[in-house]
Amino acid sequence: MAKTIIISNRLPVQLQIENGHITATPSVGGLATGMKSVHSGSDSLWIGWSGLTKENIPKELEPKIDKALREHGCSKVSLTEEEIEGFYFGFSNRTIWPLFHYFLEYSEFESASWETFKAVNQKFADAILKNSKDDDVIWVHDYQLMLVPEMVKAKRPNAAIGFFLHVPFPSYEIFRTLPWRKEILRGLLGADLIGFHTYDYERHFLSSVRRLLGLEVSFNEINVDDRVIKVDSFPMGIDYKKFSNAAKVHQKNTTENQSELQRRLNVHKESTPDAKLILSIDRLDYSKGIAKRLKAFEYFLNKFPEYKEKVRLIILAVPSRSNVPQYQLLKKEIDELVGRINGEFSTVSWTPIWYFYRSMPFENLIDLYTSSDIALLTPIRDGMNLVAKEYIATRTDKTGVLILSEMAGSANEMNESLLINPNNFDQIADALIQAINMPKEEQMARNTILQKRLERYNVEKWANDFMKSLLEQRETTHQYISKLLSNKTLDSVIEQYHASKRKLLFLDYDGTLSGFHMDPQKAGPDEKLYDLLDQINAQENTDVYLISGRDTGTFNRWFLHKKYNMIAEHGVWLSKEGEDFTLLEQIKNDWMPKIKPILESFVDRTPGSFIEEKNFSLAWHYRNTDPDFGKKRAAELTTVLTSLIANDNLTVLSGNKVLEIKSSGVNKGRAAVKMLAENDYDFIFAIGDDWTDEYMFEELPDDAITVKVGMQKTQAKYYVENTKRVRELLLRFIK
Ligand code: ADP
Ligand code: G6P
C-alpha cells in the first residue's frame, strides 16, 4: 500500500541517552506538534533528525535508537556534529531563519555553511529515496529542506512531491539579497505542490519566481518544461479536539490530582481574586518579540499604574537553538529585562512577571492556558503561531481574551481577537485595558466564532486538503504528460508524412522556431534555422507556411530572399515563393490614430514597454517591464480598450507578453483554412506557442497534427517542451 513519507529536520520526538538508556521527549515548535497529529505509524513514515549527532550515539546503541524511533513511526537521518553546525545552526538558523523573518541584519551569508546545507539536504533526499517506493507520496517540510524536492525529483520524476513552508516567505526585496536565491527557488520547484500558511507568503514566492527565474506564472501555476507546479495557501490548524478535551478533563480534576503548577496558580488566583493573569508562550526566539512584549508591559504599568498588583504576566519561553549567538544574546536581554521590571515594580505581595525558561509537559501547558484570562502574543514576524489557536481551543467556557500580533500568520484567520502591532506600545497598553475590562458576553461572542472556525479547519482538515490538492496536481500533470509528443508518436507522424501525397505545414515563428528576445528585432533567424527551413521547404509535395503576428517589413527582411511562403500580421498578409506581400483580407486601419495615443499613455507609465506599429494592427509589448507590474498594466489596458473598441469591429489579442489590437475575424485560423482550400492535402501539420495559434488548432480539420510549444492549456493534440525540441522535431521531416 502507498504510504505518505513525511520529511522534516525535526522529528516529533527527540531522543536523549542517559546512562546507556534512551528516552524520548516530544519536540516543541509548530511543525512537530501540528504534524504529529496527522502522522500515523502504519500509513506514514516520518524521516528526520533524532536530535542526537552521530558522535553522540555509541555503536552498540544504534539498533536500540532505530527501534525507539520505529515505535514512533520514524526513521533517522544520521548527522555529524559538523553537519549540524553548518546545516542547522549555520545556514538554516543563521541565514534563512533571520532572513525569512525580516531580520536582515542578523543574516550571515557564508559559503561554507551553504555547502554543508546542500550536502545535508542531499542526505535527506537519499534517505527518502532509500525508504520509499515509487507510488508513495512525499511531503517535505520547512525551510531547512528547501533543496530536497529538486533532489528527489531528479531521481524519481514520477513521484508526487509536496512541500510546505512553515515560516513566512519574505517579499522579493528581502529574498533577493540571498546569494543562493536561484538555487533555493529551483530546489523548491522540484515539488508538484508548494504550500504556504497565507496568501501573502504565496504571492511573495510567486513574485520571486517570476522575477528571479523569469518563469511564466499563470494564476497560481508555474510551467517549467514538462511540469506544472501548483502553489497555494493552506493555513495550518491545530488538533482542536486534543486541546478542548484536555481542558475539559482538566476542569474535572480534584485538588489531589492537580499538578504542582496548577496549585501554585490557584494560590495566586485566590490571594487576589480580581487580579488577571496574562499569558505568553513561545520558543525563546527574537522573531517572537518577547523583549518588546516585556517593554510594552512595563509601558502599560507606567501608563495605567492603577493596575499594579491587579495583573500578572506569565512568560513561558522554551529554550531554542541556544548555540546561535543571537539566541544567547536574547536570553541575556530577557533575563535582564525581567529582573529590572520585577525589581522596579514588585511589592511585598506581588511580582508583576513570572518567568519560566523551560519546556513543559502537555498537562502544564493546559494548566496555563485554562488559568489565564488573557493571552498576549506579540511576534514581530511569525509564519503562523499555533499557540494563539491552542489558547482559544482550551477555553471551554468560552471566556478569555486573545491579544495577537498582526504579524502572525494566524492573525488572518483570527479577526475576532484584539489585533495589535507589536511595535506600538500605546496600542498594546490600550488592548490590555480593553481585555481586562471586556464583558464576559463579548468574550464569549468573540470566542464562539473563533472556536467554530478552529474546530472546522483543524490540522487534519489542513493535511487532507494539502494531500488532496497534491494528488489532483499529479493527475493534471499526468494529463499533460499524456499529450507530450513522445518519440513513438513522432515516429508514426513522420511515417504518415512520408506516406502522404500532398503535405501542408504551418510554422509559427516567435516562441516556436525562435526563442524570445528582449528586443523583438534581435530575435531574427540564425544560420541553423535558415538551413533547417531551406531543407523542409525543399521537400517534395510539401507546402510550408511561416505564419506569424510579425509585420511584413520584418518578414521581408528576414525571409523574402528565401522564397518561403509567409503569412504575416496574424493572417492579414500573404507572400508566396518570394513574391511581394498582398492582402489576404480586406480590412481597415483608420482606427489606428484613435487607439495609438492610448497605447502611448501606457508606454509613458510603464517603463520597459513599447508599441509596435504594423500596417493593420498595433501591438503593445511588455516583455521588458517589471513582470508583476506589466501584467497588471496589461489587464488595465485590456479593460480600457475593450470598452473603447466595442463598436469598431476590433479585437484585443493577448499573446506572449504582448497585447495586439486588430480587426476581428482575421486570425491565423482563418488564414490557414484559406491555404488549405488551395489543394487536396492529405497531411496537415501546425505548430505554435501562444494564444494566437489556438485559432489554427481550432480551425484545422480533426485529422491535422497540431502541436503546442510549452505545457499550457491548449486545443492542440500534442505538446513539446521548448524551441530546442521544435527544431529536433522538424529535422525529422527531412528525408
Ligand atoms: P513555533 O513553531 O515558531 O515554535 P508555534 O506557536 O506555531 O511557534 O508552535 C509552538 C508549539 O510548541 C505549540 O504547539 C506549543 O504548544 C508548543 N510549545 C510551546 N511552548 C512549549 C513549552 N514550554 N513546552 C511544551 N510545548 C510548548
Ligand atoms: C519553527 C520551524 C520548525 C522548527 C520549530 C522549532 O516552528 O518552522 O521547522 O522545527 O520552529 O525549532 P527547532 O530549531 O528547535 O527545530
Side-chain angles (χ1 to χ4, degrees):
M1 207 182 85
K3 272 191 182 222
T4 302
I5 310 288
I6 301 168
I7 307 95
S8 66
N9 172 51
R10 180 107 26 217
L11 284 173
V13 285
Q14 296 300 287
L15 299 186
Q16 290 89 25
I17 303 174
E18 275 167 39
N19 306 325
H21 291 289
I22 299 160
T23 51
T25 48
S27 303
V28 288
L31 190 173
T33 56
M35 281 303 294
K36 192 160 63 181
S37 314
V38 287
H39 166 56
S40 75
S42 59
D43 302 334
S44 57
L45 171 71
W46 193 328
I47 301 174
W49 172 50
S50 67
L52 296 167
T53 61
K54 219 170 177 173
E55 291 83 348
N56 290 148
I57 307 177
K59 262 251 159 325
E60 64 279 10
L61 278 189
E62 189 104 14
K64 276 196 184 162
I65 297 265
D66 290 340
K67 183 163 171 274
L69 289 175
R70 249 196 323 274
E71 277 161 16
H72 290 93
C74 295
S75 169
K76 71 172 193 310
V77 176
S78 290
L79 299 175
T80 63
E81 241 157 55
E82 203 183 336
E83 283 171 334
I84 285 295
E85 186 50 44
F87 155 73
Y88 173 71
F89 291 115
F91 198 77
S92 296
N93 289 319
R94 293 224 282 264
T95 306
I96 297 293
W97 178 274
L99 191 72
F100 280 32
H101 286 85
Y102 293 71
F103 285 81
L104 197 54
E105 68 282 16
Y106 290 179
S107 260
E108 296 170 16
F109 302 126
E110 278 181 18
S111 310
S113 56
W114 161 247
E115 290 304 325
T116 314
F117 183 78
K118 276 197 291 187
V120 171
N121 268 249
Q122 188 63 57
K123 266 196 161 180
F124 277 85
D126 293 344
I128 296 168
L129 294 167
K130 192 173 141 225
N131 285 290
S132 63
K133 298 207 197 76
D134 272 357
D135 57 345
D136 288 343
V137 177
I138 296 163
W139 191 359
V140 187
H141 290 266
D142 229 359
Y143 65 101
Q144 303 92 340
L145 302 178
M146 289 189 284
L147 303 179
V148 168
E150 186 188 26
M151 292 167 168
V152 176
K153 197 52 129 192
K155 292 270 166 56
R156 208 174 279 167
N158 294 330
I161 306 175
F163 180 90
F164 193 86
L165 188 75
H166 292 258
V167 298
F169 194 93
S171 98
Y172 160 74
E173 288 297 341
I174 297 282
F175 183 69
R176 70 165 163 163
T177 61
L178 184 69
W180 307 280
R181 58 208 183 169
K182 287 192 182 172
E183 288 87 337
I184 296 283
L185 291 179
R186 284 197 208 102
L188 291 169
L189 291 180
D192 302 290
L193 172 67
I194 304 174
F196 297 92
H197 282 307
T198 72
Y199 173 64
D200 281 334
Y201 310 156
E202 172 191 337
R203 153 175 98 67
H204 291 157
F205 172 72
L206 289 175
S207 165
S208 282
V209 165
R210 251 196 303 263
R211 286 154 190 252
L212 292 167
L213 300 183
L215 289 174
E216 192 51 45
V217 176
S218 53
F219 297 104
N220 60 346
E221 289 189 339
I222 307 166
N223 293 300
V224 188
D225 288 339
D226 60 345
R227 298 180 47 234
V228 183
I229 296 137
K230 189 171 169 189
V231 181
D232 211 342
S233 56
F234 304 85
M236 189 181 195
I238 55 164
D239 188 343
Y240 187 87
K241 283 236 150 57
K242 178 175 149 192
F243 283 90
S244 67
N245 287 344
K248 281 180 201 148
V249 171
H250 177 273
Q251 237 104 64
K252 289 190 194 127
N253 278 349
T254 52
T255 327
E256 297 86 71
N257 50 23
Q258 277 179 345
S259 69
E260 183 52 40
L261 174 68
Q262 185 63 54
R263 284 196 213 126
R264 276 183 67 197
L265 287 166
N266 292 346
V267 170
H268 281 273
K269 283 181 102 112
E270 280 151 20
S271 63
T272 39
D274 58 340
K276 301 281 183 190
L277 276 186
I278 305 168
L279 173 70
S280 79
I281 297 187
D282 342 64
R283 277 181 309 100
L284 192 113
D285 195 301
Y286 48 79
S287 65
K288 302 286 183 182
I290 305 172
K292 276 223 167 113
R293 187 182 310 152
L294 287 165
K295 288 180 192 158
F297 185 60
E298 179 185 28
Y299 183 86
F300 163 80
L301 291 175
N302 281 321
K303 188 172 175 186
F304 301 106
E306 63 275 28
Y307 284 94
K308 284 180 194 166
E309 302 200 326
K310 295 257 169 359
V311 292
R312 169 169 288 129
L313 176 62
I314 304 181
I315 297 261
L316 170 59
V318 197
S320 184
R321 306 171 195 165
S322 33
N323 276 21
V324 178
Q326 290 300 345
Y327 288 72
Q328 293 161 358
L329 289 173
L330 179 69
K331 165 80 174 48
K332 196 161 164 272
E333 185 187 2
I334 290 173
D335 286 351
E336 283 168 9
L337 268 173
V338 172
R340 182 166 66 70
I341 298 170
N342 275 345
E344 191 181 336
F345 292 94
S346 289
T347 62
V348 180
S349 56
W350 175 71
T351 30
I353 302 167
W354 279 4
Y355 170 46
F356 301 92
Y357 175 62
R358 67 173 101 118
S359 188
M360 278 198 186
F362 181 70
E363 291 67 33
N364 286 153
L365 282 186
I366 301 294
D367 293 338
L368 288 171
Y369 282 145
T370 51
S371 305
S372 303
D373 308 283
I374 297 165
L376 177 64
L377 304 171
T378 60
I380 294 169
R381 268 308 146 175
D382 205 338
M384 173 48 74
N385 198 295
L386 295 182
V387 168
K389 296 185 172 182
E390 293 170 5
Y391 173 69
I392 293 295
T394 59
R395 309 301 303 178
T396 46
D397 66 356
K398 297 195 174 6
T399 62
V401 183
L402 170 64
I403 302 176
L404 178 62
S405 163
E406 290 165 10
M407 314 302 167
S410 49
N412 288 295
E413 306 155 72
M414 303 188 88
N415 245 310
E416 293 74 15
S417 59
L418 303 182
L419 296 180
I420 50 96
N421 174 346
N423 303 308
N424 187 339
F425 289 3
D426 263 315
Q427 196 191 18
I428 297 177
D430 293 347
L432 280 170
I433 291 291
Q434 192 186 345
I436 292 166
N437 297 302
M438 188 182 283
K440 277 222 158 54
E441 300 71 45
E442 185 181 343
Q443 298 178 22
M444 292 164 87
R446 286 172 184 262
N447 291 340
T448 305
I449 306 172
L450 285 170
Q451 288 186 344
K452 264 204 189 127
R453 200 176 298 139
L454 293 179
E455 190 167 10
R456 197 174 53 243
Y457 203 83
N458 58 24
V459 71
E460 202 183 330
K461 175 96 177 65
W462 167 81
N464 286 342
D465 275 7
F466 185 91
M467 277 295 165
K468 196 165 150 244
S469 185
L470 174 57
L471 295 176
E472 277 169 10
Q473 194 54 24
R474 179 155 72 169
E475 269 307 296
T476 315
T477 309
H478 279 164
Q479 279 164 16
Y480 277 117
I481 287 171
S482 66
K483 275 195 157 195
L484 182 71
L485 186 62
S486 65
N487 284 334
K488 203 167 146 222
T489 317
L490 182 57
D491 289 346
S492 88
V493 169
I494 299 298
E495 211 172 286
Q496 209 183 319
Y497 170 76
H498 291 304
S500 307
K501 290 204 180 75
R502 192 81 207 171
K503 310 135 208 228
L504 179 61
L505 312 184
F506 293 107
L507 313 178
D508 166 54
Y509 184 76
D510 292 285
T512 303
L513 294 177
S514 166
F516 287 102
H517 201 283
M518 287 304 209
D519 176 356
Q521 288 307 322
K522 293 205 172 120
D526 51 83
E527 279 312 315
K528 273 198 176 142
L529 181 60
Y530 277 133
D531 191 42
L532 172 71
L533 291 174
D534 282 346
Q535 291 192 62
I536 294 191
N537 210 33
Q539 295 295 300
E540 273 182 11
N541 299 321
T542 302
D543 295 328
V544 183
Y545 285 84
L546 295 181
I547 186 162
S548 167
R550 289 275 182 172
D551 64 301
T552 51
T554 308
F555 260 30
N556 271 339
R557 249 185 305 119
W558 290 349
F559 299 117
L560 195 68
H561 63 290
K562 289 285 189 184
K563 300 195 166 59
Y564 305 149
N565 298 326
M566 301 183 281
I567 294 170
E569 291 193 25
H570 300 290
V572 176
W573 298 95
L574 171 70
S575 156
K576 278 190 164 181
E577 297 171 6
E579 285 177 4
D580 283 343
F581 271 105
T582 53
L583 278 176
L584 194 55
E585 297 277 351
Q586 289 312 315
I587 50 169
K588 293 183 178 165
N589 59 5
D590 54 355
W591 51 270
M592 285 166 71
K594 187 172 98 186
I595 299 294
K596 200 174 159 201
I598 298 167
L599 298 191
E600 280 166 346
S601 81
F602 271 74
V603 168
D604 293 341
R605 292 180 303 127
T606 319
S609 73
F610 65 91
I611 301 170
E612 185 187 359
E613 214 169 323
K614 305 183 192 177
N615 295 305
F616 289 92
S617 69
L618 286 172
W620 180 73
H621 290 266
Y622 60 97
R623 176 164 305 279
N624 304 341
T625 63
D626 171 290
D628 288 330
F629 188 53
K631 207 168 174 182
K632 195 173 135 249
R633 279 276 193 257
E636 196 182 326
L637 179 57
T638 310
T639 315
V640 171
L641 290 172
T642 314
S643 61
L644 257 174
I645 61 175
N647 303 321
D648 285 332
N649 208 19
L650 294 174
T651 185
V652 184
L653 276 188
S654 163
N656 199 325
K657 306 276 188 218
V658 56
L659 286 185
E660 186 148 356
I661 303 98
K662 53 185 276 300
S663 295
S664 324
V666 179
N667 58 49
K668 288 182 178 179
R670 194 164 138 140
V673 169
K674 280 189 181 166
M675 300 306 107
L676 189 66
E678 293 196 347
N679 232 314
D680 200 7
Y681 293 106
D682 56 353
F683 179 90
I684 304 155
F685 175 90
I687 187 162
D689 73 304
D690 77 11
W691 202 71
T692 62
D693 300 303
E694 291 294 321
Y695 286 109
M696 272 198 299
F697 303 149
E698 227 172 281
E699 298 283 331
L700 288 172
D702 286 348
D703 57 357
I705 311 289
T706 49
V707 184
K708 176 92 167 178
V709 186
M711 205 168 166
Q712 287 162 44
K713 288 211 172 67
T714 180
Q715 302 276 344
K717 277 199 189 119
Y718 305 107
Y719 86 89
V720 293
E721 299 93 325
N722 47 37
T723 52
K724 183 170 165 264
R725 183 83 182 119
V726 175
R727 293 195 184 191
E728 287 165 11
L729 180 164
L730 292 179
L731 271 173
R732 299 279 312 274
F733 281 95
I734 299 158
K735 228 178 181 166

